[in-house]
Amino acid sequence: KAGVTQTPRYLIKTRGQQVTLSCSPISGHRSVSWYQQTPGQGLQFLFEYFSETQRNKGNFPGRFSGRQFSNSRSEMNVSTLELGDSALYLCASSPGGTADEQYFGPGTRLTVT
Amino acid sequence: GENVEQHPSTLSVQEGDSAVIKCTYSDSASNYFPWYKQELGKRPQLIIDIRSNVGEKKDQRIAVTLNKTAKHFSLHITETQPEDSAVYFCAAPDSGTYKYIFGTGTRLKVLA
């Protein structure tokens, strides 16, 4: 099976702009979770989607949003970018049950200048 | 909610020695504990996991042990090699949700 893919791999944006990141899960997986990874904060959970529904949300401001499509592909959007949003954004796919194995994509490296 | 603490934050060992990384969790209902390895510039990769119905699981040079009473689980790497150098993360599910809480990571350096 093909692994989790994310596009784009690298992005450079300026403050105030918005950005959309995409994640395609492993075939057959219906759950997609998003994480923000920074050197100081580690892996922080953003949100999780299953069958086009957000089931859980982390402690991030409303500027961070996401959605999932009927083919399980997911997008996350960050509006009004701030310098502190610079990070590696990782998505992970799993079948969708509790305590399922999660597999990560390669990530999107976002730099905000 | 679940809280996961991971120690140590950095660990240096000589090639061939063993390395042990420990995580503690707070939610006694947690039942699945994965370990991820992240090499520089790469994605976290699931290397081993354990479920709460067993106390130990091995896969070649790596093993994970679970102590449910004390609420901690540990990653053991034997006969370390330079390619084991990476950041290792533990995680536990936040019970009643579909999210995972990650430890802060351990940077392992294997010195040749």
Side-chain angles (χ1 to χ4, degrees):
Chain A
K1 283 186 180 178
V4 182
T5 59
Q6 290 186 247
T7 57
R9 294 293 311 280
Y10 303 92
L11 267 179
I12 300 175
K13 293 286 188 178
T14 57
R15 278 178 297 176
Q17 288 186 313
Q18 73 164 15
V19 67
T20 299
L21 315 181
S22 180
C23 173
S24 292
I26 292 169
S27 177
H29 284 190
R30 296 170 65 190
S31 168
V32 174
S33 297
W34 288 90
Y35 296 86
Q36 182 193 66
Q37 186 175 32
T38 58
Q41 297 296 318
L43 279 155
Q44 299 291 311
F45 174 82
L46 281 154
F47 27 66
E48 186 262 357
Y49 287 88
F50 178 84
S51 290
E52 303 179 66
T53 299
Q54 184 184 89
R55 294 193 297 189
N56 289 113
K57 190 176 190 304
N59 298 322
F60 279 81
R63 300 185 298 106
F64 291 81
S65 63
R67 59 177 176 168
Q68 186 180 36
F69 302 94
S70 59
N71 62 357
S72 294
R73 188 178 70 86
S74 177
E75 289 181 346
M76 68 164 280
N77 183 79
V78 188
S79 63
T80 319
L81 285 165
E82 300 177 359
L83 294 178
D85 296 334
S86 294
L88 180 67
Y89 290 88
L90 293 159
C91 73
S93 84
S94 73
T98 57
D100 273 348
E101 297 174 3
Q102 279 194 340
Y103 297 93
F104 283 90
T108 295
R109 171 75 62 186
L110 172 64
T111 302
V112 182
T113 62
Chain B
E2 177 69 278
N3 184 47
V4 177
E5 295 188 359
Q6 183 171 348
H7 298 282
S9 56
T10 61
L11 179 60
S12 293
V13 299
Q14 289 294 132
E15 183 178 358
D17 287 350
S18 296
V20 181
I21 304 169
K22 181 178 176 179
C23 287
T24 60
Y25 61 98
S26 60
D27 188 347
S28 56
S30 289
N31 59 359
Y32 172 67
F33 306 94
W35 284 92
Y36 290 87
K37 174 184 180 182
Q38 187 175 28
E39 297 176 78
L40 190 62
K42 297 190 176 180
R43 72 186 78 190
Q45 284 195 303
L46 179 65
I47 56 171
I48 196 167
D49 55 20
I50 191 167
R51 297 190 182 270
S52 58
N53 58 344
V54 297
E56 184 176 7
K57 182 177 179 181
K58 289 183 180 179
D59 183 4
Q60 298 183 333
R61 295 186 298 107
I62 60 173
V64 56
T65 58
L66 172 64
N67 183 325
K68 289 189 292 183
T69 303
K71 290 190 279 190
H72 67 71
F73 57 109
S74 300
L75 177 70
H76 304 255
I77 306 174
T78 59
E79 301 173 17
T80 53
Q81 302 169 2
E83 52 265 38
D84 295 328
S85 295
V87 178
Y88 292 81
F89 293 96
C90 63
D94 194 6
S95 61
T97 75
Y98 297 92
K99 68 179 186 180
Y100 285 85
I101 305 301
F102 282 78
T104 49
T106 296
R107 184 173 299 278
L108 174 65
K109 295 181 183 178
V110 179
L111 307 171

